[in-house]
Amino acid sequence: MKRTAFSNPWLPILLLVPQLSIIAVFFYWPAGYAIQSSFYLQDPFGFGSTFVGLENYTDLASSTNYLDSLKFTVLFTIIVTFLSLGIALLLAVKADKVLRGARTYRTLLMWVYAIAPPVAGLMGVMLFDQSRGNLTQLFRSLGWDYTLGVNYWDTAIAMISVSVWKQIPVNFIFFLSGLQAIPRSVREAALIDNPSGMRRFWDITFPLLAPTGFFLLIINITYALFDTFGIIDTIVKGEPGNNPMTLVYRVFVDGFRGGDLGGSSAQSVVLMVLVLVLTIVQFRFLERRIHYT
Amino acid sequence: MADVTDTTAIATSTTRRRKRIKWETVGDHVVLILGALLMLVPVYMVFATSSHDAITVHREGLQFLFGDQFSENYNAALFEYGGFTDSVNGITMLTNSLILGLGFAIGKIIVGMMAAYAIVYFRLKFATFAFWIIFTTLLLPLEVRILPSYEVIQSMGLANTYTGLIVPLIASATATFFFRQFFRSVPEELIEAARIDGAGPFKFFIDILVPLSRTMIAAMFIIMFVFGWNQYLWPTLITTDESLFTLVRGIRQIIQAYADGSTTPEYGEAAALAIIAMVPPVLIVIFFQNWFVKGLTESDK
């Protein structure tokens, strides 16, 4: 709040009404409903539901399918985050360094941001297709019998590749703006002190980029967990079968295909807790960053 | 070794020297060009494929060179009715995508600016409480609470309506958060001056705050439009009526034809539809990239 403020009693309430009513109806009601139904067992034919306490949660903990998805999600998140951050950082460092064509490179490296995840997934399906995919052909000629949708890890590779590809632009944009925010004087001083490019990067640039990097880490984890839904759905062609699945995709599959409202809601609640933890970490960090700058 | 090349690099950039090849710079460009190709080539191949007939693609996969079916495929993708009830063509989906993108962006900006204005510029007893109520929504993406959201909106009879499609997506406070940050950075003197001049809250908002926020609104609009246009999960669930399909939702139909496998899918048309689905957001991001980058990187500070 500003020190000087209007003290009109009803206007601010009127201004807040649209926002508050939308989130009440479309956020708090569903979220509360999720928590509530996670303690109930829904009759599959819609004849009411029975209170089962924590059974939906204990079922999850003992479901091998769910634990498989959990393991895959952790692995998927780590690989996607690591690869897309790494590639984007390399490209941003180079784009920050070159003098000629810097703007063109920036455009060429960021425009994929605007492509919808399922559209990227469709491109992945075409490139990795079992019989006619161009990459599949390439793998075959190298003696690797790549089968999308049949082999668990082959499908995982397609999901990871497309997810990394789709995420590079965001990371690139943030890294580049982080690099450009490093003052000239610091760079020049570093250049005099330490002419070796590699050392300078690890000693000066990398620590100064750490706040951006940490922020991006959270962004990328969230991306790998939630925003890859469209990619995964298109790559498994809506029929997961024995293919790898992320936790969010399982919420959808169990809820809408399996009709298991209680189980799906329990999964939602588990994810809510996960996001909550991530956000607390992020907020604590952001507070610290404000002191830095 | 590295020392030598690097110091020459500095020397040439500050003082003019005779041109000679700097291998390090060449290496930088090679990396950047490879990166650009990685981004460009898959999309180019889909674009090239959109000019071929289905049989060629069925036999050989994505194409590198352009074929002769360009106008046929785009014509079919845009104007031919398809799907289960034959009630949707590319133009309908394009219109729906525009409605979703614009409705979402405009709705979110208006709602967000109003709420942020109330929180920052008014003495309000429960301001902190309202703040937390609103910002908790940043925690849970729609994907997490998807099934209950669907049940609730279904029970309100909003399935297969534009309201049911757009409004639930607005129920996250990203724009509010963004405008709150921005309003807080607006100098205090402005509102003091405005109050001395006798400007009321409406006048201050319309005549001072909105013009000041112009670039921020533009940046927010671009990000939100692209976000709305690219929505997939929510439209997939809430619109079963084909006349409400968006382009991105239409991709799912293509995939299902693909998985079905009983007939040769219209690959060329599918590629054309994918291109149509990506062109508007990509063009917006490229043309307004300065605003877009500013909005994206500043929204998170």
Side-chain angles (χ1 to χ4, degrees):
Chain A
M1 203 174 73
K2 298 264 177 186
R3 267 181 289 122
T4 333
F6 296 112
S7 44
N8 195 319
W10 52 268
L11 188 60
I13 297 171
L14 215 63
L15 286 169
L16 279 168
V17 162
Q19 172 87 73
L20 289 178
S21 49
I22 287 176
I23 61 176
V25 175
F26 298 112
F27 182 88
Y28 283 102
W29 184 8
Y33 187 51
I35 295 170
Q36 189 206 356
S37 30
S38 73
F39 297 110
Y40 284 86
L41 188 66
Q42 193 91 354
D43 185 281
F45 302 103
F47 298 118
S49 47
T50 26
F51 183 79
V52 291
L54 289 173
E55 202 182 295
N56 286 321
Y57 292 94
T58 49
D59 280 355
L60 280 189
S62 58
S63 151
T64 41
N65 278 338
Y66 187 73
L67 293 178
D68 270 353
S69 295
L70 180 67
K71 269 183 229 154
F72 176 72
T73 309
V74 171
L75 193 72
F76 176 80
T77 306
I78 292 173
I79 298 177
V80 168
T81 303
F82 183 76
L83 283 181
S84 61
L85 279 177
I87 297 170
L89 179 60
L90 174 71
L91 292 170
V93 168
K94 299 296 181 195
D96 183 48
K97 232 168 102 188
V98 297
L99 303 167
R100 212 177 284 254
R103 240 190 101 81
T104 315
Y105 284 127
R106 191 182 83 168
T107 310
L108 285 173
L109 289 167
M110 61 167 254
W111 64 281
V112 163
Y113 172 88
I115 294 178
V119 176
L122 177 68
M123 288 164 46
V125 167
M126 287 171 152
L127 283 169
F128 287 98
D129 187 277
Q130 244 189 76
S131 46
R132 66 194 68 84
N134 306 56
L135 287 170
T136 314
Q137 304 290 351
L138 181 72
F139 296 151
R140 294 252 163 90
S141 68
L142 297 172
W144 176 19
D145 192 23
Y146 179 90
T147 47
L148 177 72
V150 179
N151 184 302
Y152 186 93
W153 291 110
D154 287 356
T155 312
I157 286 169
M159 287 174 178
I160 290 168
S161 314
V162 178
S163 304
V164 169
W165 182 77
K166 177 75 189 76
Q167 186 63 3
I168 289 173
V170 179
N171 294 337
F172 172 78
I173 293 167
F174 276 100
F175 273 136
L176 188 63
S177 84
L179 283 166
Q180 285 168 348
I182 298 175
R184 274 237 85 81
S185 53
V186 174
R187 295 172 186 229
E188 277 159 14
L191 209 54
I192 294 164
D193 284 349
N194 196 348
S196 149
M198 268 311 223
R199 277 287 302 280
R200 206 165 62 233
F201 175 77
W202 290 114
D203 291 350
I204 312 289
T205 317
F206 194 74
L208 283 172
L209 266 187
T212 312
F214 190 85
F215 166 75
L216 280 177
L217 194 65
I218 304 276
I219 292 282
N220 278 271
I221 294 172
T222 323
Y223 163 80
L225 286 175
F226 303 111
D227 299 341
T228 51
F229 181 92
I231 294 173
I232 289 163
D233 189 48
T234 38
I235 283 183
V236 300
K237 298 180 184 142
E239 295 297 334
N242 292 324
N243 286 307
M245 252 193 265
T246 57
L247 290 177
V248 170
Y249 196 62
R250 187 169 279 284
V251 171
F252 166 76
V253 169
D254 287 356
F256 286 91
R257 294 283 164 71
D260 179 10
L261 180 65
S264 173
S265 296
Q267 293 184 29
S268 290
V269 175
V270 171
L271 283 172
M272 287 184 198
V273 174
L274 192 69
V275 185
L276 205 68
V277 171
L278 273 177
T279 315
I280 291 168
V281 172
Q282 186 183 4
F283 266 108
R284 288 199 60 145
F285 163 75
L286 277 181
E287 266 167 37
R288 232 176 63 211
R289 187 165 76 153
I290 290 163
H291 292 298
Y292 271 142
T293 46
Chain B
M1 283 301 281
D3 298 19
V4 178
T5 51
D6 224 81
T7 35
T8 50
I10 309 155
T12 38
S13 64
T14 45
T15 63
R16 244 169 227 264
R17 254 198 199 193
R18 283 210 7 248
K19 257 197 181 164
R20 50 181 244 222
I21 302 168
K22 285 165 284 170
W23 287 110
E24 206 187 317
T25 315
V26 173
D28 293 348
H29 282 282
V30 168
V31 170
L32 286 168
I33 289 167
L34 285 178
L37 287 177
L38 174 71
M39 294 288 121
L40 213 52
V41 168
V43 181
Y44 166 77
M45 286 171 78
V46 173
F47 187 48
T49 304
S50 71
S51 66
H52 283 274
D53 58 77
I55 296 158
T56 317
V57 187
H58 188 70
R59 227 180 279 135
E60 302 161 21
L62 291 181
Q63 300 291 308
F64 279 103
L65 300 171
F66 285 92
D68 54 1
Q69 300 289 307
F70 194 83
S71 53
E72 283 86 346
N73 283 336
Y74 280 86
N75 245 323
L78 279 172
F79 302 110
E80 224 166 68
Y81 287 88
F84 303 116
T85 55
D86 293 334
S87 64
V88 66
N89 64 4
I91 292 291
T92 320
M93 291 197 276
L94 193 69
T95 318
N96 286 332
S97 285
L98 272 178
I99 293 174
L100 175 56
L102 290 175
F104 173 72
I106 294 170
K108 197 144 177 168
I109 288 171
I110 291 177
V111 169
M113 278 187 92
M114 282 166 66
Y117 185 50
I119 290 173
V120 176
Y121 280 99
F122 287 87
R123 244 180 271 283
L124 199 61
K125 272 203 189 100
F126 60 97
T128 324
F129 178 67
F131 176 83
W132 282 110
I133 287 280
I134 292 172
F135 294 113
T136 315
T137 61
L138 290 177
L139 306 184
L140 300 181
L142 185 63
E143 284 84 358
V144 177
R145 52 195 158 86
I146 193 73
L147 185 57
S149 297
Y150 175 78
E151 301 261 325
V152 164
I153 280 122
Q154 173 95 334
S155 72
M156 291 170 74
L158 287 176
N160 288 316
T161 61
Y162 286 115
T163 318
L165 181 63
I166 296 169
V167 181
L169 292 171
I170 300 180
S172 147
T174 40
T176 314
F177 189 68
F178 179 80
F179 282 114
R180 171 181 170 268
Q181 299 295 89
F182 177 70
F183 289 164
R184 278 156 60 109
S185 74
V186 170
E188 194 94 3
E189 289 77 18
L190 276 176
I191 184 165
E192 280 164 12
R195 293 200 66 182
I196 291 165
D197 289 347
F202 278 110
K203 204 169 166 47
F204 177 73
F205 187 67
I206 302 290
D207 287 351
I208 296 174
L209 215 51
V210 171
L212 263 181
S213 326
R214 255 195 325 241
T215 31
M216 293 294 141
I217 294 173
M220 212 40 353
F221 182 83
I222 294 160
I223 293 170
M224 293 300 163
F225 177 79
V226 172
F227 186 82
W229 179 284
N230 285 347
Q231 281 304 307
Y232 177 68
L233 177 57
W234 186 245
T236 300
L237 295 178
I238 212 69
T239 57
T240 44
D241 177 358
E242 289 186 3
S243 59
L244 285 165
F245 277 14
T246 62
L247 282 166
V248 177
R249 169 72 178 87
I251 297 293
R252 200 181 158 89
Q253 300 308 104
I254 297 176
I255 287 289
Q256 268 160 6
Y258 227 109
D260 188 25
S262 53
T263 51
T264 309
E266 287 296 337
Y267 292 106
E269 264 184 69
L273 200 68
I275 294 292
I276 296 167
M278 64 175 95
V279 162
V282 164
L283 286 185
I284 285 181
V285 162
I286 290 176
F287 280 125
F288 302 108
Q289 58 173 297
N290 286 337
W291 282 346
F292 161 72
V293 170
K294 192 172 155 60
L296 199 66
T297 49
E298 294 203 351
S299 60
D300 299 295
K301 277 187 182 148

